[in-house]
Amino acid sequence: MCGICGVLNTDLSPADAGMLGKMVAAIRHRGPDDCGVYTEGNVGLGHARLSIIDVAGGHQPMRSSDGDLAITFNGEIFNYIELREELEKRGHRFATSSDTEVILHQYEEDGEQCVRRFNGQWAFAIWDRRMRRLFLSRDRMGIRPLYYTQTRRGFLFASEMKALLAQPSVRAEFDLRALDQVFTFWTTIAPRTAFKGIWQLPPGCSAVVDERGVRVERYWSLSFPEEKHRTVEEERELACELRELLLDATRIRLRADVPVGCYLSGGIDSTVTTALAAHVAGDRLRSFSIAFADAEYDERRFQQEASEFLKTDHSSFCCSAADIAEIFPEVVRHAEQPVLRTAPAPMLLLSRLVRESGFKVVLTGEGADEVLGGYDIFKEAKIRRFWARDVSSRWRPLLLKRLYPYMDGLQRQSPAYLRHFFRVSEGDLGSPFFSHLPRWELTARLKLLLSEDVRNELRDYDAFEEMKAALPSEYWTWHPFHQAEYLEATGLLPGYILSSQGDRMAMAHGVEGRFPFLDHRVVDFAAKLPPNLKMKGLREKYLLKRACAEDVPASILKRTKQPYRAPDGKCFFGADAPEYVEQCLSHRAVRDGGVFDANAVGVLKAKFQSGRQVSTRDNMALVGVLSTQLLLNQFAGRQLDSCTQWGSELRFATSS
Amino acid sequence: MHTVGIGTEIRDFVVTNFLFGKGDDLSDEESLLDNGVIDSTGVLELVSYLQERFEMRVEDDEIVPANLDSIRNLVEFVGRKIGR
C-alpha cells in the first residue's frame, strides 16, 4: 500500500523530476518504506512505498522488461498468484515476485480489460510508451483513492489531493456544490471532490489519458439481478456458499510478506473476519480496537469477549473526548473534505496504535452492512414502506420503536411523534431516494448555516437532481431494498466510510486496511440474494448470521447492531478545548472564511457552550462547520508546501 | 406573563435553538416537524425547555403534535397548563 502520483505534460514539455519529488513528499505518510520517481520525456511517475509483498524486489515505479511500460501502483491484487501462474503458462517471464509486475503482464495480455481479472483494491497508472498514453484504474468499490486535475501544461494524478497541490499551478478552490452535497449526503458524488477542477476517478472506472484528453470508462458496476424466491433447502446452501466465499476472500487477503492484524470492534462483522482469518492462518492473531472513555460509545465488553473466544492477542486504544478534539485538525488534513462526524478521529488514533505495534496490514469487517443488509436505514425504510400501505394502522408505527434502540432520544418519543417523524407521503413513496429522504432532509437543514453569498450562489443548484442523474438506468427496476443498498454502497461507502474514515485515517500512519466483505465475488453474490435473505423481517444480516453462527460468540451473534459512533460536538468545548476551535469558529474567522453565516455559527456555538442538550443535527452542524473552517485554513487558495521528510533516499530513474 | 410575552419567548427559543437564529420566515402556524425545524431529539429539548422555563410538568401523553407542533400550538398549550 502506497501513495502514487504522476504527470503527463500534453504540451510535451519534459516532466520535472524535482516537482514529482515534491508530490511524492506530500503523500509520504502513505509509503514511508521507500520512494521513487521515474521520468521519460513528458511523462513522470512517482511512488511512495509501504512494502508488503516482495519487500526486496517490488520497488516502484516499475518498468516492464522491454521498457515499454512503466507503472506506479497503490494497493493489492490479491489473486496475483493465480494470475501469474496463468501468465507464465502463456510465456510471460517474471523478474520479481510482486503483484505489481503481474499487473504489467496482465496489461500486456489484455490491455485495458486487464482490470476485470483483478481481485483486489487498487489505484494505478501505467505509462504505455508504444500507445503514447496513460492508463489509470481504480478498484470496483473505491477502496483506494485516485484524484486528477488538468493544468495548461497537462494532466496530473495522485492518491491524495495534497500531492496535486504541491504543483504551483494547482490551487485549492472550494467547490460550493461539493459543499452542498456534503451537507446533504455526507459526501460528494463522484467524480466531484471538495475542490474545483480536482476530480476523483469513480470506483469501478478506468481512464485513458493522451494528448486528446481524458476518457473515463466504467468496467464494473454494482447491479442487482432480478431476485428469485428461495426454498429452505436453497437457503441452507446459500449460507454455506457465503461462508466459503468469505473464507476464500479472507484467505487471499492474508497474502503478505509482513504480519497481518485484525480490527475487532465488538460487532459481528469484524468478529467474523477475525474468526475466518484465525481459521485460515491457524495461529494466534493480533487484534486491535478502539474503546471509549464515554460508556455511551464504548464496546469494550464485546471486544474482550470476541478476543477471548477467538484467542487473539488484543490491544485497544481508549479514546477520550479530549483526544478527539486534539487530533481533529489532522483528521481533516488527511480526509481532504468536510466531515459531519468525528468518528474518523478514533480511527486515526487506532492506526497509530497498529503502526506502533509493528503492524502495517489489518483486516476489517467494513462493507458487510452495505452488501449484506445491516444498516438501520434499510430497516427504517422497510418499516416506513410497510406502514405506508396502511397509514391508519395504529400498531405499525410502533415498529419504529424497534429502530435505533441505542438512541435514547428516539426511544422516549411518544407514538404520535414517532408517526410524525417517519411519516410517509405519496410523493415520498415514488421517490428514488425513499430510504434516504429522512436522513438527507435532516442533514440538508444544515445549509441554513451557509452565508447569504453562498446560498445565493447555490440558489439554482439541486444536489438531489445531480444524485438522480448519476443513477444507472436499471436502478428504477430494482427492489426498494436494493435501491437503498445501492445508495449506501456507491455513496457513503466510498465517499466517507472507506475514505474519510478508512483509507485516509489508516494511511496517515502507513497502515493498509483489507476488507473480505468487499471482495467483488462476495459483493456480486450478495447482490443476487433476495432482500428477505439479507433482512428477514427486521433481522438484519440474516444470511451472514446463519452462515457464520458457529464462528462467533453467541452474545455477539445476538446483540443488536450498534453503529460505530464517537462523541461529537461536545469534544470541542469546555475548559480544555484546544485553541484552534475558537480560532476557527470566532465571529471574525467565520466571516472572513465567507462560507458560513457568522451570526448563525455564533448561535450554534452558544448552544454548545451553554451545556444544554444538543441534537443529532446540532452535532453534525458543529462538526461540519469546524471541519470546513479547518479545511479552508489548511487548503483553500493555497499551494501547499509540504516538502518534509523527503531527502536523499528518493530513487530517480529515467528511460535510457 | 402575557400570552404575547410567552409567544415571543417561545419563538425566540425555537428560532435560536433549532434555526441557528435564522427564523424570519417561520410563521406561528407552521408545523415544526413538516418543515424540518425540529428533529427527534428536538422534541425532547422543547419539552425540557417548557418544563424548566414555565415550571410546568409535561406528561407523556401530552407530547403530541397537537400541543407542540407550531408556535401557536405551543403558546396555547403553555397557556392552558399555567392557567392563562
Side-chain angles (χ1 to χ4, degrees):
Chain A
M1 265 286 291
C2 316
I4 62 171
C5 58
V7 298
L8 172 63
N9 290 339
T10 40
D11 67 356
L12 301 182
S13 60
D16 179 347
M19 190 45 73
L20 271 166
K22 285 188 181 178
M23 291 175 77
V24 173
I27 47 172
R28 196 62 212 278
H29 50 271
R30 298 183 69 89
D33 298 337
D34 187 15
C35 60
V37 162
Y38 169 78
T39 54
E40 180 190 323
N42 60 329
V43 180
L45 304 177
H47 194 265
R49 183 173 185 222
L50 186 65
S51 310
I52 291 171
I53 291 177
D54 192 1
V55 175
H59 298 294
Q60 291 193 50
M62 182 184 280
R63 293 167 69 194
S64 58
S65 53
D66 59 8
D68 279 344
L69 302 175
I71 184 172
T72 182
F73 163 48
N74 163 212
E76 308 292 339
I77 306 299
F78 297 118
N79 61 339
Y80 75 105
I81 293 175
E82 293 77 9
L83 292 175
R84 180 182 166 129
E85 278 171 16
E86 277 182 34
L87 288 161
E88 279 174 333
K89 280 184 197 149
R90 292 179 188 211
H92 290 264
R93 292 285 162 265
F94 287 81
T96 72
S97 53
S98 67
D99 52 344
T100 313
E101 198 183 353
V102 170
I103 300 178
L104 284 177
H105 286 275
Q106 199 73 50
Y107 178 82
E108 283 174 352
E109 194 68 27
D110 298 326
E112 294 161 35
Q113 302 306 317
C114 65
V115 292
R116 296 176 190 269
R117 303 295 319 277
F118 298 156
N119 184 335
Q121 46 193 47
W122 67 83
F124 66 76
I126 294 174
W127 167 241
D128 186 330
R129 180 157 67 184
R130 273 174 307 178
M131 306 276 280
R132 306 287 313 157
R133 66 182 199 183
L134 266 178
F135 174 66
L136 296 98
S137 182
R138 191 170 175 211
D139 63 71
R140 296 173 182 86
M141 303 305 287
I143 297 169
R144 304 280 72 110
L146 188 53
Y147 297 96
Y148 64 89
T149 190
Q150 281 170 291
T151 65
R152 268 184 304 163
R153 180 158 268 196
F155 176 87
L156 297 164
F157 68 90
S159 299
E160 295 183 20
M161 293 189 269
K162 48 183 77 68
L164 301 176
L165 297 167
Q167 287 268 3
S169 54
V170 182
R171 299 256 157 196
E173 192 185 339
F174 236 26
D175 180 346
L176 295 180
R177 292 183 172 197
L179 195 70
D180 191 308
Q181 292 179 354
V182 174
F183 279 65
T184 307
F185 309 122
W186 302 7
T187 170
T188 60
I189 307 167
R192 205 181 277 281
T193 72
F195 300 114
K196 267 188 195 162
I198 299 183
W199 306 100
Q200 54 174 313
L201 187 62
C205 287
S206 298
V208 169
V209 187
D210 55 22
E211 65 274 12
R212 286 184 294 158
V214 183
R215 294 181 298 287
V216 175
E217 196 176 317
R218 180 164 286 287
Y219 67 87
W220 183 88
S221 54
L222 179 59
S223 183
F224 300 89
E226 208 175 324
E227 81 243 29
K228 280 188 287 188
H229 177 72
R230 302 289 190 167
T231 62
V232 175
E233 183 54 37
E234 280 179 312
E235 200 175 300
R236 199 175 6 248
E237 284 167 18
L238 286 168
C240 290
E241 204 181 323
L242 175 59
R243 189 174 179 282
E244 284 306 309
L245 266 178
L246 283 172
L247 202 57
D248 197 58
T250 307
R251 182 181 64 83
I252 60 174
R253 276 163 184 74
L254 288 171
R255 288 176 171 169
D257 296 333
V258 296
V260 178
C262 295
Y263 279 174
L264 208 47
S265 73
I268 183 167
D269 310 336
S270 61
T271 310
V272 165
T273 49
T274 306
L276 297 179
H279 185 85
V280 174
D283 50 30
R284 210 172 167 85
L285 286 175
R286 192 79 167 73
S287 59
F288 302 91
S289 71
I290 278 285
F292 287 100
D294 186 337
E296 189 185 340
Y297 308 95
D298 191 49
E299 297 186 68
R300 232 172 305 190
R301 201 192 110 204
F302 293 101
Q303 292 160 358
Q304 273 155 9
E305 223 167 288
S307 166
E308 280 163 27
F309 183 85
L310 300 171
K311 301 185 175 56
T312 66
D313 290 323
H314 190 71
S315 313
S316 75
F317 179 85
C318 187
C319 182
S320 68
D323 292 328
I324 290 174
E326 190 193 328
I327 202 81
F328 196 64
E330 273 300 287
V331 168
V332 176
R333 195 173 72 78
H334 284 287
E336 301 183 325
Q337 69 170 344
V339 290
L340 304 183
R341 291 279 168 92
T342 59
M347 299 307 286
L348 183 61
L349 296 163
L350 181 58
S351 70
R352 188 172 70 192
L353 169 71
V354 170
R355 189 68 191 190
E356 284 169 359
S357 307
F359 282 74
K360 44 189 177 184
V361 184
V362 283
L363 287 187
T364 91
E366 227 63 86
D369 286 322
E370 288 82 357
V371 303
L372 287 163
Y375 280 128
D376 286 326
I377 199 164
F378 304 145
K379 217 180 271 189
E380 178 188 304
K382 204 167 171 176
I383 295 173
R384 284 166 55 235
R385 202 172 276 280
F386 175 63
W387 172 32
R389 286 195 223 117
D390 181 5
V391 280
S392 60
S393 165
R394 292 188 64 79
W395 65 270
R396 288 188 180 198
L398 295 180
L399 286 171
L400 296 165
K401 281 247 175 186
R402 284 182 56 181
L403 281 173
Y404 313 116
Y406 49 90
M407 282 177 78
D408 200 31
L410 206 77
Q411 285 299 309
R412 283 152 58 201
Q413 300 293 323
S414 72
Y417 259 105
L418 278 176
R419 274 201 291 275
H420 229 88
F421 282 123
F422 295 102
R423 82 197 174 287
V424 178
S425 71
E426 282 288 318
D428 290 355
L429 261 181
S431 164
F433 306 131
F434 176 81
S435 54
H436 284 63
L437 281 178
R439 178 198 284 176
W440 290 349
E441 283 173 351
L442 173 75
T443 309
R445 297 293 295 185
L446 303 185
K447 288 189 272 183
L448 266 179
L449 288 160
L450 296 176
S451 69
E452 207 175 322
D453 286 350
V454 170
R455 292 175 75 174
N456 279 335
E457 192 92 6
L458 290 168
R459 182 145 297 174
D460 299 321
Y461 175 68
D462 184 347
F464 282 72
E465 282 303 315
E466 187 168 328
M467 179 67 106
K468 209 185 268 183
L471 297 175
S473 56
E474 72 260 34
Y475 179 87
W476 304 86
T477 67
W478 293 335
H479 187 286
F481 191 88
H482 286 152
Q483 292 179 334
E485 279 196 328
Y486 180 87
L487 295 177
E488 281 296 301
T490 62
L492 201 66
L493 179 67
Y496 170 78
I497 304 272
L498 294 175
S499 49
S500 297
Q501 194 172 290
D503 173 271
R504 276 357 118 64
M505 297 306 111
M507 289 311 287
H509 293 117
V511 172
E512 168 181 300
R514 295 181 175 186
F515 318 100
F517 286 104
L518 293 177
D519 183 305
H520 72 278
R521 295 169 302 168
V522 176
V523 174
D524 286 335
F525 171 86
K528 282 187 214 140
L529 293 172
N532 72 344
L533 287 189
K534 292 180 225 183
M535 188 171 285
K536 194 156 214 160
L538 292 180
R539 280 176 291 165
E540 74 274 6
K541 285 184 284 202
Y542 170 77
L543 197 69
L544 173 66
K545 287 181 178 172
R546 196 172 160 168
C548 299
E550 306 290 312
D551 298 304
V552 302
S555 58
I556 288 176
L557 194 70
K558 291 203 181 92
R559 74 181 285 221
T560 319
K561 180 179 168 50
Q562 162 135 5
Y564 165 66
R565 296 180 307 147
D568 279 308
K570 283 186 174 167
C571 298
F572 303 104
F573 296 94
D576 302 328
E579 269 178 30
Y580 77 84
V581 177
E582 186 49 29
Q583 284 161 8
C584 285
L585 299 183
S586 72
H587 192 275
R588 191 175 164 182
V590 176
R591 195 193 56 207
D592 291 351
V595 174
F596 299 105
D597 178 325
N599 291 329
V601 172
V603 169
L604 174 68
K605 204 169 67 175
K607 187 170 179 183
F608 276 92
Q609 282 164 337
S610 74
R612 287 203 311 271
Q613 189 176 16
V614 292
S615 68
T616 311
R617 188 171 64 195
D618 294 329
N619 276 313
M620 290 198 289
L622 195 280
V623 178
V625 170
L626 184 59
S627 59
T628 306
Q629 289 289 106
L630 282 165
L631 208 58
L632 278 170
N633 291 347
Q634 293 167 346
F635 288 86
R638 293 182 195 195
Q639 187 240 318
L640 298 185
D641 183 21
S642 45
C643 298
T644 51
Q645 310 176 26
W646 119 274
S648 56
E649 78 272 43
L650 188 80
R651 291 173 297 100
F652 286 92
T654 49
S655 72
S656 47
Chain B
M1 190 184 300
H2 304 293
T3 310
V4 178
I6 294 177
T8 311
E9 266 205 64
I10 290 179
R11 165 175 277 280
D12 278 354
F13 174 78
V14 169
V15 169
T16 308
N17 218 54
F18 304 123
L19 292 171
F20 313 115
K22 298 168 93 172
D24 294 348
D25 302 337
L26 183 73
S27 76
D28 284 352
E29 288 74 31
E30 239 170 288
S31 161
L32 303 179
L33 280 168
D34 290 348
N35 292 296
V37 176
I38 59 176
D39 61 7
S40 59
T41 36
V43 179
L44 302 175
E45 288 176 59
L46 198 55
V47 170
S48 56
Y49 159 77
L50 295 177
Q51 299 197 133
E52 275 168 37
R53 173 64 192 84
F54 300 105
E55 295 173 348
M56 57 189 249
R57 189 174 157 70
V58 180
E59 305 297 335
D60 280 357
D61 60 5
E62 290 173 321
I63 306 178
V64 291
N67 289 336
L68 309 174
D69 195 33
S70 68
I71 302 224
R72 171 157 299 169
N73 291 5
L74 279 162
V75 172
E76 286 172 5
F77 175 58
V78 172
R80 280 198 304 277
K81 289 290 281 189
I82 63 177
R84 278 169 217 275

